[in-house]
């Protein structure tokens, strides 16, 4: 960590990064809830890793496959509620963060009956800044995401493979 990064950890630069990244994460969850995840891979680097429990998908092709398989099962109502976004590590061009995820989800058309979330999890993300000098806008993407289940509804089947 450079001296500039150390100053940024408690300053306005961290607040800006926090806002940018929490906005990116909520936009990804919105895409999954309202677009069946068909554009979810656009939030990840081409070589990203996405881990659900003990199952890891590598690269945007496999990530597209996860959400394509989910959509092929038919209609599903989901709401991914993200909170407690916290930056764990902040360096130039690299940020590691954790957030809490509460998921309400069920197959079918809305409205669907449900009383409890199907999942409460910690989501660990590693973000990298991409783009650069060739004129491409610099932006943050997810290089690695790991979802660690903390609570699951017994017997419920999640829409994505976890094993």
């Amino acid at each position: 960590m450079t001296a500039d990064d150390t100053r940024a950890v408690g300053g306005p630069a961290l607040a800006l990064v926090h806002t940018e990244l929490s906005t990116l994460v909520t936009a990804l969850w919105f895409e999954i809830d309202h677009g069946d995840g068909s554009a979810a891979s656009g939030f990840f680097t081409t070589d990203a890793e996405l881990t659900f429990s003990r199952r890891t998908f590598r690269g945007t092709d496999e990530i597209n496959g996860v959400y394509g398989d989910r959509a092929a099962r038919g209609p599903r109502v989901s709401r991914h509620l993200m909170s407690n976004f916290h930056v764990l590590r902040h360096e130039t061009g690299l940020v590691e963060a954790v957030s809490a995820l509460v998921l309400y989800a069920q197959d079918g058309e809305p409205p669907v009956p449900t009383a409890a979330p199907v999942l409460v999890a910690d989501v660990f993300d590693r973000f990298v800044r991409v783009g650069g000098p060739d004129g491409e806008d610099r932006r943050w993407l997810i290089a690695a995401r790991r979802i660690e289940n903390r609570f699951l509804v017994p017997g419920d089947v999640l829409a994505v493979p976890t094993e």
Side-chain angles (χ1 to χ4, degrees), residues 8-30:
V9 167
L14 180 60
L16 180 59
V17 165
H18 185 281
T19 299
E20 289 178 6
L21 296 178
S22 63
T23 299
L24 182 145
V25 170
T26 55
L28 172 57
W29 291 131
F30 184 88

Side-chain angles (χ1 to χ4, degrees), residues 78-156:
S78 67
R79 289 300 178 268
H80 295 77
L81 309 177
M82 185 275 291
S83 66
N84 300 350
F85 186 86
H86 184 76
V87 173
L88 301 170
R89 178 179 169 202
H90 175 223
E91 299 178 12
T92 302
L94 172 74
V95 173
E96 293 178 356
V98 62
S99 58
L101 172 65
V102 178
L103 173 60
Y104 291 86
Q106 189 169 331
D107 289 346
E109 296 284 350
V112 294
T114 188
V118 297
L119 168 75
V120 177
D122 289 331
V123 180
F124 294 89
D125 286 313
R126 186 174 71 242
F127 302 93
V128 295
R129 194 90 161 144
V130 298
D134 59 349
E136 182 182 342
D137 288 339
R138 291 192 44 81
R139 63 189 180 121
W140 291 100
L141 291 176
I142 301 169
R145 165 168 276 194
R146 186 177 79 250
I147 300 174
E148 292 185 4
N149 303 335
R150 297 297 178 225
F151 301 93
L152 286 171
V153 173
D156 213 359

Side-chain angles (χ1 to χ4, degrees), residues 61-79:
D61 287 344
E62 287 188 13
I63 292 169
N64 280 331
V66 167
Y67 292 106
D69 290 348
R70 210 300 322 133
R73 287 183 28 215
R76 184 168 178 86
V77 179
S78 67
R79 289 300 178 268

